[in-house]
Amino acid sequence: MNRPILSALTASWFTLAGSSHGWSQAAVPQPPPTDAPPSIVGAAHYDGWYTFNGNLENQKYSQADQITPRNVAKLQKAWEVHTGDVSDGSGKIPLTDWSATPLFVNDTVYVSTPFYRIFAIAPDTGKVKWTYDTHSVLQAVTQPDLKTRGVAYWQAAAPQPGIPCQKIVYVGTMDAKLHAVDADTGKKCEGFADGGVLDVNRWNTTNNKWPLSLLQPPTVYKDTLFIGWAGKDWADAEAPPGTVFAVNAQTGKLKWTFNALPADIASKTGTSNVWASMSIDQEHGILYLPVSSPSPNFFGGNRKQEIPLATSVTALDAQTGKLLWSRQIVHHDIWDYDTNSPPVLVDIHKDGKTIPALVQSSKMGIFFVLNRLTGEPIYPIEERQVPQSDVPGEQSAPTQPYAAIPEPTVPDRFPGVSRLADIASLGECSRTLKQLRYDGRYTPPSLQGSVAYPSTAGGVEWGGGAVDPRSAVYVVNSSYVAQIYRLIERKDYAEQAKHGSKDEYYPQTGAPYGFYLRNFVNFLGMPCWNPPYGTLSAYDLNSGRLLWKKPFGEVQKWGFYMPESWGSVTIGAPLVTRSGLIFIGASMDARARAVDLKSGDVLWQAQLDAPAVANPATYIYKGTQYVVFVAGGNAILKPQASDQVAAFALK
Amino acid sequence: MSVSPKRRTGVDILVLAGAAALGISIFNYFRTDNGIHGSAGALLVIISSFLMVISAAALALAAAMNPALRGALVVLILLDILGTGLAAYMLEENWLVGAMAVALMGWVVRLVSNRTPGDARVRGAI
């Protein structure tokens, strides 16, 4: 589940990181998402940014190549917009976390705000064309903060001028309302669902202890919207089952649904929802779902039977919703290791063959490279024996899937106690570690307390990776966070929670155990484990080889930057351009960076108002390439929020 | 008391570098696009720069200062320079680092400069 990795982390150090070929015309022709040509995964020439991940294959790749490693140092701010939709949480409105990928399509930049408004922005000047207000409730209904990850876009195969809603922008809200808005005018599309608003919560009928939240924009393919949702994490053992809804893009009419939970146990567990985005193989009409873990997240005694689709990457027929194949990446998940990002689709060349592949990243920092048509591994996946739970009522899985190729970003062993943090806390770190259980990867939650490394904070977060489809070079940022997990018997939970921080205690109501979770930090908030805390890596998927791996970003506390070699925990993904550049925000230091794809060297950076925890976007408009960052911040990184959209271009 | 010109020059450099550091620190605290504005670290270097200016000015102006007090002040100024320099480095504020380098030069100039012959009261002072 999309548990905001904790406000508890806010107390810690990182509280918990036009000249392109053929494009000289005035306006960039937009790809028609409704009838996009059969994909040669990423080969189609396009340098807009029409989905959350740039394209439906989730490659975060652009053909734009005006900005190059040679000239990127000259990049300057072209325009910026401040939406006004920001809250530091000190008043009635909850804190805002803003992770909206700006879309560039229909000659317009579209972005939603954490107050659930849409801004339509001129791509070259930053002038606001129109805004649309959902008038959504601004309350932390399910999540602790107000958040959005952006909008989705659909257009008719042959849009007719003068007819409204031939091009539609969609935005979801915290209370599960999906609004459809005319992309040209900002007026509501009355023909969509009920007067332009689809209440997805109407379908929330099983274990509906809380409403659903539409924080991730739908995935749009042909005339269908694929809608997942986020919920209230770690609260209940029995929770709404993680249904994916496929609806008509123009009418909002339900086409089909998909449930990852077997019907016979849906009432006594829940979630296994899809809260991240999805990817599409357009040539084969396959929809890929990153399916999260079932509830409760840290105890599986109520769901001992196999739930094969939980914490998996699952392929469906996009037309019918029929299951094609699924591969579970964590068995009997009791770590909240949700599959949290859609797979990246790319063709790789191996042993003289071209293989239709996907790369599924994970919170564990492990990468599963599969044949995307069959789900079979391209690089070996072994079942490794893992530590077993000693918690009464629990029955942990004896083995877990492990892929050694490509090399996981997060090492298999805890990196040791930080001497600096240990000395500064007079030995608190080492004393605490001695009291905890740690047996390597997949050490289960325990009654005495366990070290989780990697933890639910990742590894790789919801942004996932990016790929250059020509070379199959895959780039991904990763975090390294140790947390302490402790189950608490129900009879003791209320008393302990009463005296503890609300950001550290989670009831798992309905389970025999509540849960305590915090970052493994000392009383000063310093991480008790050795750095790095965040890296950026590049892999050659054709060989599975790691090309380079470098600490990325900087930890910042009280304004002071820690050594670059430490890196930063990151949220938000990179993008890759044809010219061999990586653009990424994501880090705690609130900087946007351009990185050389070949070497991993940082070639350019700019200061933003808050951490750019959204995926960036790039596009060419009127002969100029722009790179856009949304700098909204996320309390997981540090308590700094903003309402800034900033576009950079060569001058 | 008379003070050697070099020693006076060293103190003047200290005052000027401290004043520059104070100005830079205040600018950094309020400038909103530098990543450190409003931070505790930015405030800290404002305070330390201010103390440096006051201390250096005291060295320059208080000719009849007790030698022990003067010595203590000189040591404290050195600690201030080093601490502010380290803080500036961690704030990634190169201009401030530069100002501290200049301040350190002033401090060294003052240290190595000859005292005026016969000035017994400064004997023992750094």
Side-chain angles (χ1 to χ4, degrees):
Chain A
M1 295 177 63
N2 180 18
R3 174 65 222 173
I5 310 166
L6 307 206
S7 332
L9 305 188
T10 48
S12 75
W13 278 40
F14 46 77
T15 317
L16 174 111
S19 57
S20 71
H21 314 291
W23 291 102
S24 56
Q25 57 268 58
V28 177
Q30 303 306 325
T34 54
D35 61 356
S39 167
I40 314 164
V41 181
H45 192 106
Y46 173 63
D47 48 19
W49 207 264
Y50 72 99
T51 78
F52 180 76
N53 297 304
N55 59 18
L56 286 169
E57 290 81 12
N58 182 24
Q59 294 174 328
K60 305 181 189 73
Y61 173 77
S62 173
Q63 296 273 358
D65 61 0
Q66 187 179 86
I67 305 169
T68 69
R70 282 176 175 268
N71 63 23
V72 69
K74 298 175 183 171
L75 211 55
Q76 293 182 20
K77 194 182 290 178
W79 54 261
E80 69 179 305
V81 170
H82 289 269
T83 67
D85 292 358
V86 62
S87 169
D88 63 5
S90 59
K92 288 183 178 176
I93 299 177
L95 181 70
T96 49
D97 297 338
W98 194 19
S99 307
T101 303
L103 301 193
F104 172 69
V105 68
N106 192 35
D107 285 351
T108 305
V109 172
Y110 297 100
V111 66
S112 59
T113 75
F115 287 5
Y116 307 105
R117 294 198 299 157
I118 303 173
F119 276 66
I121 301 169
D124 52 347
T125 63
K127 183 182 177 185
V128 177
K129 293 181 173 181
W130 54 258
T131 62
Y132 172 83
D133 193 344
T134 62
H135 298 288
S136 172
V137 56
L138 298 182
Q139 295 174 10
V141 177
T142 58
Q143 304 283 309
D145 307 324
L146 297 178
K147 50 174 88 167
T148 178
R149 283 199 284 276
V151 298
Y153 177 86
W154 170 90
Q155 73 177 40
Q160 297 173 13
I163 300 178
C165 297
Q166 297 286 290
K167 302 169 185 175
I168 301 176
V169 179
Y170 306 89
V171 65
T173 67
M174 178 73 91
D175 55 353
K177 307 289 196 300
L178 184 68
H179 291 243
V181 179
D182 185 283
D184 289 328
T185 64
K187 305 293 183 191
K188 199 182 287 184
C189 292
E190 299 289 341
F192 181 79
D194 298 325
V197 181
L198 174 63
D199 183 0
V200 174
N201 212 39
R202 74 168 74 160
W203 297 316
N204 180 14
T205 55
T206 303
N207 292 341
N208 54 345
K209 298 184 176 177
W210 28 259
L212 313 179
S213 288
L214 303 182
L215 309 178
Q216 178 71 44
T219 297
V220 183
Y221 175 56
K222 294 188 174 177
D223 286 329
T224 305
L225 308 180
F226 303 103
I227 304 169
W229 49 266
K232 190 171 187 176
D233 300 332
W234 308 348
D236 298 288
E238 298 163 2
T243 311
V244 172
F245 306 100
V247 305
N248 183 286
Q250 283 182 288
T251 65
K253 186 179 177 185
L254 187 64
K255 289 185 167 183
W256 53 258
T257 62
F258 173 80
N259 271 298
L261 292 175
D264 59 325
I265 64 164
S267 63
K268 58 180 182 178
T269 176
T271 62
S272 284
N273 52 320
V274 178
W275 57 261
S277 60
M278 309 169 200
S279 26
I280 299 267
D281 180 332
Q282 298 181 70
E283 182 180 2
H284 299 97
I286 301 175
L287 171 70
Y288 299 93
L289 309 178
V291 181
S292 74
S293 57
S295 63
N297 291 95
F298 300 99
F299 175 75
N302 66 325
R303 48 177 174 85
K304 290 180 182 173
Q305 57 270 63
E306 291 279 318
I307 308 178
L309 303 189
T311 315
S312 73
V313 51
T314 293
L316 307 181
D317 181 325
Q319 189 69 30
T320 64
K322 181 186 170 191
L323 176 66
L324 299 178
W325 59 262
S326 180
R327 179 163 289 273
Q328 189 166 59
I329 64 171
V330 179
H331 304 317
H332 191 73
D333 189 348
I334 48 176
W335 300 269
D336 195 23
Y337 281 152
D338 299 344
T339 309
N340 61 351
S341 69
V344 171
L345 313 188
V346 62
D347 292 345
I348 66 175
H349 304 284
K350 186 170 180 285
D351 303 327
K353 296 176 184 172
T354 299
I355 305 170
L358 64 79
V359 188
Q360 181 61 63
S361 57
S362 68
K363 287 187 177 184
M364 300 83 73
I366 300 171
F367 301 97
F368 301 91
V369 183
L370 310 174
N371 182 312
R372 67 174 180 270
L373 303 184
T374 65
E376 291 304 309
I378 293 172
Y379 295 112
I381 299 175
E382 59 180 300
E383 287 290 330
R384 283 194 175 179
Q385 295 210 332
V386 294
Q388 293 301 291
S389 174
D390 56 3
V391 172
E394 183 58 275
Q395 187 179 318
S396 51
T399 64
Q400 293 290 353
Y402 185 88
I405 303 173
E407 178 184 306
T409 54
V410 182
D412 291 341
R413 297 294 300 183
F414 179 75
V417 167
S418 160
R419 187 171 295 177
L420 178 65
D422 206 31
I423 291 171
S425 61
L426 304 177
E428 179 193 349
C429 293
S430 49
R431 281 197 307 275
T432 303
L433 184 61
K434 280 180 186 170
Q435 296 165 3
L436 299 170
R437 177 179 177 187
Y438 179 68
D439 299 318
R441 276 188 187 272
Y442 300 103
T443 298
S446 61
L447 293 169
Q448 74 179 84
S450 300
V451 174
Y453 184 87
S455 64
T456 182
V460 183
E461 263 296 333
W462 50 258
V467 73
D468 182 336
R470 299 167 306 156
S471 60
V473 171
Y474 175 75
V475 179
V476 67
N477 51 308
S478 182
S479 300
Y480 303 68
V481 181
Q483 293 183 319
I484 296 173
Y485 294 174
R486 182 163 58 84
L487 290 163
I488 304 167
E489 289 190 57
R490 180 59 58 202
K491 62 183 174 58
D492 301 325
Y493 177 78
E495 183 65 18
Q496 290 192 27
K498 189 170 71 178
H499 298 293
S501 165
K502 68 177 177 58
D503 294 325
E504 295 180 347
Y505 287 86
Y506 302 91
Q508 298 194 133
T509 303
Y513 305 97
F515 197 65
Y516 170 85
L517 182 154
R518 71 170 173 89
N519 272 2
F520 185 16
V521 296
N522 66 17
F523 76 94
L524 295 168
M526 299 169 69
C528 280
W529 66 101
N530 280 318
Y533 305 119
T535 58
L536 187 66
S537 305
Y539 296 88
D540 175 2
L541 294 178
N542 292 328
S543 64
R545 192 166 55 94
L546 176 66
L547 298 174
W548 50 261
K549 178 179 181 179
K550 297 189 173 182
F552 177 77
E554 292 174 66
V555 171
Q556 192 181 21
K557 182 71 174 177
W558 300 315
F560 297 119
Y561 296 93
M562 302 300 132
E564 289 184 10
S565 61
W566 289 13
S568 164
V569 172
T570 54
I571 299 175
L575 70 78
V576 172
T577 69
R578 179 187 177 89
S579 59
L581 284 172
I582 301 163
F583 287 98
I584 179 170
S587 57
M588 189 179 180
D589 54 23
R591 286 171 176 161
R593 289 178 169 88
V595 178
D596 188 340
L597 181 61
K598 283 184 181 171
S599 65
D601 293 341
V602 174
L603 302 177
W604 167 87
Q605 64 181 27
Q607 189 67 48
L608 300 170
D609 288 355
V613 293
N615 299 352
T618 188
Y619 57 85
I620 289 181
Y621 182 72
K622 292 185 176 176
T624 299
Q625 183 182 353
Y626 297 85
V627 186
V628 187
F629 292 87
V630 166
N634 187 310
I636 294 167
L637 290 182
K638 64 176 176 178
Q640 185 180 24
S642 176
D643 61 349
Q644 182 190 34
V645 185
F648 296 87
L650 296 173
K651 291 216 171 166
Chain B
M1 179 189 76
S2 62
V3 177
S4 76
K6 280 188 180 175
R7 177 163 290 194
R8 181 57 192 249
T9 301
V11 174
D12 288 347
I13 291 172
L14 264 177
V15 173
L16 290 173
L22 181 61
I24 293 167
S25 303
I26 291 171
F27 179 72
N28 284 337
Y29 187 82
F30 291 104
R31 181 182 161 191
T32 57
D33 62 350
N34 59 6
I36 61 168
H37 76 276
S39 67
L43 184 61
L44 182 69
V45 290
I46 290 175
I47 295 168
S48 63
S49 301
F50 177 74
L51 291 175
M52 190 181 305
V53 172
I54 296 295
S55 305
L59 274 186
L61 300 175
M65 187 180 291
N66 177 294
L69 180 60
R70 182 187 298 271
L73 202 54
V74 169
V75 170
L76 288 174
I77 288 173
L78 176 64
L79 294 176
D80 194 343
I81 292 170
L82 297 177
T84 304
L86 176 63
Y89 175 76
M90 293 184 70
L91 291 169
E92 298 187 358
E93 282 302 322
N94 294 336
W95 285 104
L96 197 52
V97 173
M100 288 305 101
V102 172
L104 187 61
M105 284 170 50
W107 190 91
V108 171
V109 167
R110 188 192 180 284
L111 178 71
V112 301
S113 59
N114 293 326
R115 289 174 289 114
T116 303
D119 182 5
R121 285 186 300 177
V122 296
R123 197 183 305 276
I126 297 173

